[in-house]
Structure formats: C-alpha cells, structure tokens
Amino acid sequence: MNIQRLAIAQEQLSSTVSQQPNTTLYSDETSKFGEKVMGYHISDEDQRYYVLGLRDIPTKSASDTLSTFKELLQDLDEATLSASDAGKKILANIRNTMSDRAATELKWHELLQKYRSDVLPTIQENWQNLSDEEKQPLENITSFFCGLHSLVQYAEVCEKTLDSVETSLFDGKGAGALVKGLAFKTEGNGVLRLVKNASKAFARGGNEQSGVYGPFKLFTKEFLQENGFSKVPIVPFRGNRFNIMFFNAGFIFFLHKQMTSFLDSYGASNKLLKCVEADLKEPFYLAGCRALGLISKHVTAPLWRILEDKAVHILDLPQVYSRIQETLGKGTDNPQQFIDGQLSPFQVSSDAVLDSLTNASEHDGLTCSILKNLLPALAQVMKSHAAHLEVETTDDQRASTKSVAKHNKFAERVFAYLDHLMRVRPNATLLGLEATIMFSLNKTSEWLKSLPDQEAKKLISTARKHSRKLKAQFKERVESIRQQKREAMKEKEREKQRREEKRQADLEFYTQEIQYYGLWQSEREVEEMVNSFRSDNDKVKALKSQLRFRQHVLRQTASRPEVYNFSSKGTAHSWQTLQSNVKELVRQAFTLPPPSVVDEGVPLLVGRRINHKFQEGDYNGKVLSCVPGYPEWFNVKYDNDDAIYSCKLNEDYKNGDIKILC
C-alpha cells in the first residue's frame, strides 16, 4: 500500500505541478548509511514546496545527477492518469534553480539548461516561429545559491581568523595551552572550544554523560526568569547547523558569571567541566564569545529572519548584503561603536542578552581587537555572496523568480526526515521511504480528498496496478546502480595499478639516471661534477636527476619543500639555483638520524669485496661506504670501472644476488 501512495503522489505532481509556471528546482545530495541519495524538489509562485523524488545515485557527478533527473521525469510521464508529457511540462516550467555552490551543482545546472533547451521545442507552442531574442529568455535558467550557507561560511571564516589572532596572542602556542590535559579536544582555537564544550556541558541533550543541564537549570532558575527565559537558552551543536556558533557564543557570554559560580559551588567533577572552568577564566576567550554574540545580534540572526521572510524577494537581497557590508566596514574602522550598538545594519530589539553584550567591560580592548580582525573577513564573505545575485531586476525577471526561496532549507528538511525514517525503519527500501516522504510533505492526502469520489476511486484502483511496475523499476534501478558501483570499484583498482606501475617505472628511470651520473654525496663533488659538463643544458639535466632521485627514490625530507622545484612562478630555475638546492640537500643528509632498526640477517658489507649478480652478468667489486643519511644504500666500485655506483645491497643479499668474496 505504501508503493500505491507513491503512485498517487506521482499522479498529483503530474496533474498539478506540470501546470505551475515559473517554478524553481531545488537539488541536494547526501550520504546515508553508505548510500548516496539525491533529492529533487520544486516550488511554485506561492513558494509551496513539492518533493519530486528521492533517488539512489551511483556518484554525485553532474552527469549522474542529470540522468537520474531524466529518469524521474520519465516516471512522472508514465504516472497513472496524467498526460504522457507531464514530466516535460514540469521541465519546461522550471525557470530557476537553488542549491549550494558546490562545483558539481554548478556543472549539473549547465547540463540541465542544455537538456531543457533540447526539450523546449517539443513542448512550447509555435517554437519554430519565435525569434532568437524571444527564445533566449525562455531557454535561460537563473541559478541561485542558498543564503543560509553564508552563515556557515561566516563560521568557517571566523574560526580561521580566531586561530590566527589567538596564535599571535599566545606566542604560537594556540588553543589548548591553558587547559592541556583537561579538555576532550584541544585542537582549533580556544573561543570555539569554549563554545562547543559549554554547549556540551550546559545545553539540554548536549553531553548526557558529563553534562550538567539539570543542575545548572535549577541553579540559574531565578536569574533566567528575571531575564525572560524559562530554560537554559544554550542549544546543542547536533542538529543545528546554521548560526549555531554565533547564537551559543552570545548566550555563553550572557551566562558566563553564572557558569563560573555554578562550577565553583557544584564542582568541576569531570574533564569536560574542568575544561570549561579553565576556559571561562581566560579573558580572550570571553571577549571572543562576546564578539561572536554581537555579530549574532546585529548581523546573522536578523539576516536569517530576512532569508526566511517570504515577503522579501530574492532580488532584494543585494541591497541587504550591501547594507551589511557597509556596516561591517564601518565597524572595522570603529569597533567600539559596533560594541555599543551604534552600528547595526538592522533595527535590533533590546533584550537582556544584548544589554550584557553592549555594557562596558574591562575587556573592551580585547573585544575591539578581535572585531577588527573578524569584521573585514565577514565583509568579504558578504561581498562574495552578493556577487552571485547580480542579475537583471526587471519586472519580468521579478515575476519569473517569484517562486525562488532564499535558501535551500527544504532540501535539508527532507534529508532530516529521511534520516529519521532510515533509523526507525532500518529494513525499509528507499522506494518505500520516498513514498512516505512524498505523500506526507506534498500533502497528497488532502489533494486526494479534494478530487470527485469517482475520480479518486479510479485513481486508487489504477495505483494498485501501477505499484507493481514501480517496484519492478526500482529493482532494475538498484541492480543497475550496483553494477555501476562494481565497475567503478574495478576501475579504481585498475587506476591504482596503473599508478603503481607508472611509479615503479619512474623509480627505475630515476635509478638508471643516477647510475649514469652517479649520486653526488658532498658539496665538493657537486661542484666538480657540474663543472665537468660543458653546456648549461647538460648541467641542468644532471642536477635534475640528483633532485629527482633524492625526492622519489631516497625520499629525503627537505626543510624547504620548494627545494625540489624546477621552476618558480612559471620561470625555469637556472643551473646555479638547482646546484644550490642540491648542495642544500647534501648538507641535510649528514644531519639525518640513524636508522632505528638494524637490518637483521645481513653482514657488515662496507669494506668487503663482493660478487654482484645482474641480469647481464656477474661483477666483482668493493663496497666503499654507505650513502650519508641512507644506510640501506651503499657506494660500490666495480673492477675495471672508474665510476662509483649507489645500490641497495641488503635486498640483493637476501635474494642471493650477492656473495662476499673477502
């Protein structure tokens, strides 16, 4: 019966959404329990959302995303009572797309526009009679990107900025210096660590083992009620992606005195609480929380409300972004005014939290220093997001983009619903979960009740028959995807083997080169060997062979990675520069530590005469020494040959290719 609901939901899409003009397509991909799932959704001019489908995909590449979308449209074409071209009509009515800014999404939108242009002539009336100027606006799809992802990028930028500020303030020691041995995790900056750990300790559902939400709620009950809160306002990180860092930071600063008093009286009885207790005593971390809280109150929280306000058109966002960018620029020049609330891009209502953030503090200087670094970084993020909204704002464009929401939150909501269902119904197929989600979120039951009784009964009857076809198609899709994944895995194995074969061939080539030129093991030898070549080209070739052998065969670690480069900024190095780099590596080889383990079963070879077996014959010679820094490599002088060769003798001895003569 669940699959029958899917057939009815597809009929709903075929008969209703196909008639909606100027729609917007939302797409997103996620990985759930080892499977990649692609979600396709659509909204009409009233910004009502519909789930078009949830499908397994072999990979999240643009081509797989498009082919899966074509398959979904074909399913809608074959829906029970609808016209056979319903899927094509839905495609033709898509005028906008909304997604994140992933590279695969950008490419898939390009492929979608090309595919739509190919389909339009078969759907649009009098297409052949339209001029190129009339066709162009019908063919174009306007791509938009989720505004809420700017808040995620805000958090990423602030984290990196706070890292650099903290490193400079604490003389390079960075986060964890004050709470070493106490924290669960000490990587990253201390401000973010305080926000995360305080959320685990004091938020409802934060850390069930070490958290103290219940006792802290009782401890602060009167204080919270006085300030208009019925519970601790801090929320856990899990399940909260956007604005969580800024939101929690403001409340942590608001409650930091109560947290300190609670830990002093209640006692920091575990590592998590001890970490929070130590971080609350550091003024820089509190100043960082205050700065993030101010950004939340003045910028991110009001911006989120605007992004969710359906009355604000998406083409009005550039003005909002411009206002924010201007305010952040002024705040950079005068952060104290930003702290005092004199600079704000929005009208912000006063409350107890904002008052605590704006009240004068002995650490205003630290907060100003942090804001001086954070605000210009955030302004750059805002500028980047505004650049993607530079589209024409004519009346026609505003009408065609009326269906566009300013975020991709519906796709995230669908995936959250899917995640829940997959946990409570672990044995359900994606087809059954797709049916449940579409029937529920598309409000298919309400639509079905609105139909005349005779039509509804006919639809239910045909849905029973169509459900068998849907199950058969699903099994075919699953098997096809399984075969594609198998082939992809085999191709990865073949590619890995090809890379290994190429690596071995390269190592053999580099070793042959060094057998020809010899391995130069002192600065004097480098100079003598370079001077033995007449042309600059020969000198460059010889020096490159030394660099390649030390990098790829000896795997010598250099203090400067660029020492192995053959060029800089597109300009090839001269032989003098290459010679200087080889000398640097030779010097460093003498400082390498000795091996920690002696190769067992191999006698001392240095100073011994040996018989060395090669494919072309046996050669007698004397082992002169080890290569400096690389005791597994030996310098050998063979009889009747003036050259010195570098070889890995230990492996050949174990293989029986070396006999000791004396």
Side-chain angles (χ1 to χ4, degrees):
M1 290 184 64
N2 199 28
I3 310 305
Q4 295 174 27
R5 296 201 303 172
L6 176 61
I8 296 173
Q10 289 182 344
E11 168 60 28
Q12 176 194 13
L13 294 173
S14 298
S15 60
T16 59
V17 178
S18 62
Q19 307 302 318
Q20 299 291 337
N22 300 326
T23 57
T24 300
L25 177 67
Y26 303 79
S27 59
D28 203 359
E29 177 270 340
T30 188
S31 295
K32 296 293 183 185
F33 301 97
E35 302 293 336
K36 295 186 183 298
V37 180
M38 193 75 193
Y40 302 91
H41 321 287
I42 210 163
S43 65
D44 58 22
E45 291 183 333
D46 295 327
Q47 291 194 14
R48 177 181 173 179
Y49 296 98
Y50 297 89
V51 180
L52 290 182
L54 293 168
R55 298 295 169 92
D56 282 319
I57 55 173
T59 69
K60 60 180 181 180
S61 66
S63 57
D64 282 344
T65 303
L66 178 64
S67 61
T68 305
F69 185 61
K70 290 180 180 179
E71 177 187 276
L72 190 151
L73 294 178
Q74 181 64 30
D75 289 349
L76 295 179
D77 277 344
E78 297 173 358
T80 49
L81 300 176
S82 61
S84 60
D85 58 354
K88 292 181 180 179
K89 288 182 178 179
I90 290 176
L91 175 65
N93 289 332
I94 295 173
R95 300 297 304 276
N96 315 282
T97 59
M98 168 62 69
S99 67
D100 55 29
R101 292 195 285 179
T104 52
E105 291 286 340
L106 300 177
K107 181 62 178 177
W108 123 255
H109 290 166
E110 292 179 10
L111 297 178
L112 174 65
Q113 179 156 331
K114 184 178 183 305
Y115 172 61
R116 183 173 174 274
S117 298
D118 295 339
V119 172
L120 273 177
T122 65
I123 296 296
Q124 189 72 31
E125 295 181 2
N126 300 320
W127 181 263
Q128 65 277 9
N129 298 327
L130 299 178
S131 63
D132 292 341
E133 291 77 10
E134 292 172 325
K135 291 179 181 179
Q136 184 176 1
L138 297 176
E139 291 178 331
N140 287 344
I141 294 180
T142 307
S143 295
F144 295 96
F145 304 102
C146 177
L148 286 176
H149 277 77
S150 62
L151 304 183
V152 177
Q153 195 172 356
Y154 265 22
E156 294 171 351
V157 167
C158 284
E159 183 176 358
K160 292 178 181 178
T161 305
L162 287 169
D163 281 344
S164 60
V165 175
E166 181 179 337
T167 300
S168 62
L169 181 66
F170 292 110
D171 298 326
K173 295 180 181 179
L178 300 178
V179 292
K180 188 174 181 181
L182 298 178
F184 285 172
K185 296 180 180 179
T186 58
E187 69 270 13
N189 65 77
V191 177
L192 184 57
R193 184 184 64 236
L194 172 58
V195 174
K196 285 187 174 181
N197 286 339
S199 299
K200 291 178 183 178
F202 300 111
R204 183 174 183 270
N207 188 306
E208 300 294 350
Q209 181 179 3
S210 303
V212 287
Y213 169 76
F216 185 67
K217 180 182 177 182
L218 290 175
F219 184 83
T220 57
K221 182 177 181 180
E222 294 182 0
F223 175 80
L224 293 173
Q225 288 178 345
E226 290 173 1
N227 291 281
F229 296 100
S230 60
K231 60 182 180 179
V232 179
I234 302 172
V235 297
F237 266 67
R238 179 173 174 79
N240 296 283
R241 183 181 182 189
F242 305 109
N243 201 42
I244 180 64
M245 186 173 84
F246 302 97
F247 179 86
N248 273 355
F251 283 110
I252 289 169
F253 183 81
F254 170 63
L255 293 169
H256 75 274
K257 293 181 180 179
Q258 283 67 35
M259 291 178 179
T260 302
S261 299
F262 172 80
L263 293 174
D264 288 341
S265 58
Y266 182 81
S269 56
N270 55 60
K271 286 186 177 181
L272 175 63
L273 299 181
K274 288 178 181 178
C275 177
V276 175
E277 183 181 40
D279 283 340
L280 286 172
K281 296 177 181 178
E282 171 51 47
F284 175 79
Y285 299 159
L286 289 176
C289 288
R290 185 186 184 193
L292 295 176
L294 286 165
I295 293 171
S296 175
K297 283 293 185 181
H298 291 301
V299 181
T300 59
L303 176 59
W304 191 339
R305 289 192 286 271
I306 287 177
L307 292 173
E308 291 192 325
D309 187 354
K310 292 185 178 181
V312 179
H313 198 284
I314 192 168
L315 297 183
D316 295 331
L317 283 184
Q319 301 175 8
V320 176
Y321 290 164
S322 176
R323 192 161 72 245
I324 294 174
Q325 189 178 347
E326 181 182 355
T327 302
L328 295 175
K330 292 179 180 178
T332 303
D333 297 333
N334 196 334
Q336 188 60 51
Q337 289 187 355
F338 189 84
I339 295 174
D340 296 339
Q342 300 176 34
L343 291 175
S344 180
F346 307 103
Q347 187 70 33
V348 180
S349 301
S350 179
D351 57 24
V353 179
L354 183 60
D355 291 342
S356 71
L357 294 169
T358 56
N359 288 339
S361 167
E362 58 180 326
H363 303 302
D364 279 358
L366 269 177
T367 308
C368 287
S369 298
I370 294 172
L371 287 172
K372 269 185 172 293
N373 289 275
L374 293 182
L375 297 184
L378 299 183
Q380 189 61 36
V381 174
M382 208 78 277
K383 181 179 179 181
S384 172
H385 279 263
H388 288 277
L389 283 172
E390 293 178 355
V391 297
E392 192 177 2
T393 56
T394 62
D395 291 341
D396 290 341
Q397 185 68 13
R398 291 184 73 88
S400 65
T401 55
K402 187 178 179 182
S403 63
V404 184
K406 297 174 286 298
H407 52 76
N408 200 25
K409 199 169 72 171
F410 182 77
E412 302 279 356
R413 175 190 171 195
V414 172
F415 284 150
Y417 193 5
L418 175 65
D419 182 82
H420 168 72
L421 291 177
M422 293 179 80
R423 293 179 188 278
V424 299
R425 303 178 187 174
N427 295 324
T429 64
L430 184 61
L431 184 69
L433 300 179
E434 179 187 32
T436 299
I437 292 173
M438 289 180 63
F439 198 86
S440 173
L441 298 185
N442 292 354
K443 296 181 173 58
T444 306
S445 179
E446 296 179 8
W447 171 79
L448 186 61
K449 291 177 182 178
S450 68
L451 299 178
D453 290 344
Q454 192 66 25
E455 184 178 346
K457 290 179 180 179
K458 183 179 179 181
L459 176 58
I460 293 173
S461 176
T462 53
R464 293 193 188 101
K465 301 176 184 178
H466 192 59
S467 62
R468 292 192 289 271
K469 181 179 179 181
L470 290 176
K471 286 191 285 186
Q473 289 176 338
F474 176 73
K475 290 180 180 179
E476 292 176 2
R477 285 205 311 266
V478 169
E479 183 58 31
S480 175
I481 291 174
R482 187 178 290 118
Q483 291 294 339
Q484 292 180 57
K485 289 182 177 179
R486 285 200 190 104
E487 183 58 35
M489 291 175 65
K490 291 179 181 178
E491 180 59 31
K492 284 184 178 179
E493 292 178 3
R494 291 192 289 267
E495 179 61 27
K496 182 180 179 181
Q497 185 177 355
R498 286 194 291 267
R499 288 198 303 267
E500 179 60 22
E501 290 174 353
K502 183 180 183 304
R503 189 183 74 85
Q504 293 294 341
D506 289 342
L507 293 179
E508 185 177 348
F509 173 73
Y510 300 148
T511 304
Q512 290 174 352
E513 274 191 325
I514 218 65
Q515 296 294 348
Y516 176 77
Y517 290 108
L519 179 61
W520 306 340
Q521 300 171 40
S522 68
E523 294 186 63
R524 179 180 177 182
E525 185 179 7
V526 172
E527 292 181 356
E528 290 177 351
M529 294 303 298
V530 169
N531 291 333
S532 67
F533 298 100
R534 293 184 178 181
S535 70
D536 291 352
N537 189 40
D538 290 339
K539 294 178 181 179
V540 168
K541 286 182 179 179
L543 288 164
K544 284 183 176 180
S545 73
Q546 300 295 316
L547 292 171
R548 281 194 289 258
F549 187 81
R550 287 186 176 273
Q551 181 181 16
H552 299 289
V553 181
L554 296 182
R555 292 187 175 183
Q556 181 173 345
T557 303
S559 57
R560 294 187 309 111
E562 60 271 17
V563 76
Y564 286 114
N565 294 346
F566 295 159
S567 62
S568 177
K569 297 180 180 179
T571 303
H573 286 329
S574 64
W575 69 265
Q576 291 90 344
T577 302
L578 296 177
Q579 177 179 262
S580 175
N581 290 344
V582 172
K583 285 183 177 181
E584 181 179 337
L585 291 171
V586 169
R587 286 194 301 271
Q588 291 178 9
F590 285 94
T591 64
L592 295 175
S596 57
V597 179
V598 178
D599 200 349
E600 297 181 358
V602 179
L604 181 64
L605 296 177
V606 176
R608 311 292 287 273
R609 284 190 58 76
I610 61 172
N611 176 265
H612 200 171
K613 182 180 179 180
F614 293 93
Q615 290 182 350
E616 60 270 19
D618 295 357
Y619 295 87
N620 294 335
K622 184 176 182 180
V623 182
L624 302 179
S625 63
C626 287
V627 174
Y630 299 91
E632 70 273 20
W633 287 83
F634 295 85
N635 296 314
V636 184
K637 168 69 170 61
Y638 293 101
D639 297 346
N640 303 320
D641 194 335
D642 295 333
I644 306 296
Y645 295 91
S646 299
C647 307
K648 267 190 171 182
L649 298 185
N650 290 355
E651 294 181 2
D652 290 349
Y653 182 86
K654 291 179 179 179
N655 295 333
D657 295 332
I658 289 180
K659 296 180 181 179
I660 298 178
L661 301 178
C662 63

